[in-house]
C-alpha cells in the first residue's frame, strides 16, 4: 500500500497522508504513535480512521509545541480546539521537553501516561 504525502507548508508542518485511513484499517495496529503536533491534520486523520475500530488501537501523540496560544485570534482558536480534542482521545503523550508537557497540560492533558 502506498501513502501519498502532501506537504502544504514550506516547513512541512501541514502534512496530509492520502491512504492513511485505508492503511490503518487494513493493518489494524495495536498502537498508533503520531509524531506530530496534536493539532496536525495527520493526527486528525489517524483518529478519524480509528473511530469505528474494535478493539481501538492505543493512540498517542509526541509533540514539540510549547506555545499553542501563539498567533492571531482565529489561528489560536482553531489550534487550541484541535489540540484539546486530540488530547481528549489520546492514551499517552510524549513531549520533547518539560515546556511541552506544561503547554499540553494547559490544553487539557489530564491523566494520560506522559513522559519527556
Amino acid at each position: 500500500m502506498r501513502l501519498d504525502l502532501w506537504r502544504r507548508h514550506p516547513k512541512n508542518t501541514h502534512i496530509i497522508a492520502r491512504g492513511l485511513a485505508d492503511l490503518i484499517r487494513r493493518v489494524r495496529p495495536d498502537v498508533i504513535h503520531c509524531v506530530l503536533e496534536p493539532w496536525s491534520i495527520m493526527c486528525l486523520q489517524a483518529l478519524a480512521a480509528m473511530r469505528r475500530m474494535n478493539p481501538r488501537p492505543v493512540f498517542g501523540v509526541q509533540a514539540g509545541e510549547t506555545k499553542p496560544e501563539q498567533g492571531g485570534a482565529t489561528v489560536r482558536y482553531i489550534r487550541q480546539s484541535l489540540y484539546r480534542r486530540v488530547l481528549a482521545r489520546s492514551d499517552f503523550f510524549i513531549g520533547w521537553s518539560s515546556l511541552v508537557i506544561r503547554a499540553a497540560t494547559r490544553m487539557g492533558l489530564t491523566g494520560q501516561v506522559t513522559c519527556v
Side-chain angles (χ1 to χ4, degrees):
M1 159 145 264
R2 179 178 172 213
L3 280 181
D4 182 13
L5 295 181
W6 301 355
R7 289 169 172 82
R8 294 290 191 196
H9 191 272
K11 294 182 181 177
N12 291 328
T13 56
H14 305 300
I15 301 170
I16 302 168
R18 186 186 305 164
L20 181 63
D22 290 337
L23 178 66
I24 289 170
R25 287 187 200 111
R26 187 174 305 157
V27 174
R28 302 192 61 76
D30 294 324
V31 176
I32 296 176
H33 179 140
C34 190
V35 186
L36 289 166
E37 299 305 329
W39 46 262
S40 72
I41 293 170
M42 195 92 109
C43 285
L44 296 171
Q45 283 182 292
L47 283 169
M50 294 169 38
R51 189 171 312 179
R52 292 183 183 91
M53 291 178 71
N54 191 10
R56 179 187 171 277
V58 173
F59 178 81
V61 178
Q62 182 171 339
E65 175 90 65
T66 60
K67 298 178 183 175
E69 301 88 358
Q70 68 185 345
T74 302
V75 170
R76 183 173 50 247
Y77 174 78
I78 292 168
R79 181 186 300 118
Q80 290 179 351
S81 294
L82 294 174
Y83 202 130
R84 287 182 177 106
R85 288 180 185 165
V86 169
L87 282 181
R89 296 173 67 190
S90 295
D91 300 299
F92 66 89
F93 184 88
I94 299 172
W96 293 8
S97 71
S98 59
L99 293 174
V100 175
I101 302 297
R102 278 186 254 165
T105 301
R106 290 193 309 274
M107 294 297 105
L109 183 70
T110 57
Q112 292 93 332
V113 175
T114 304
C115 71
V116 173

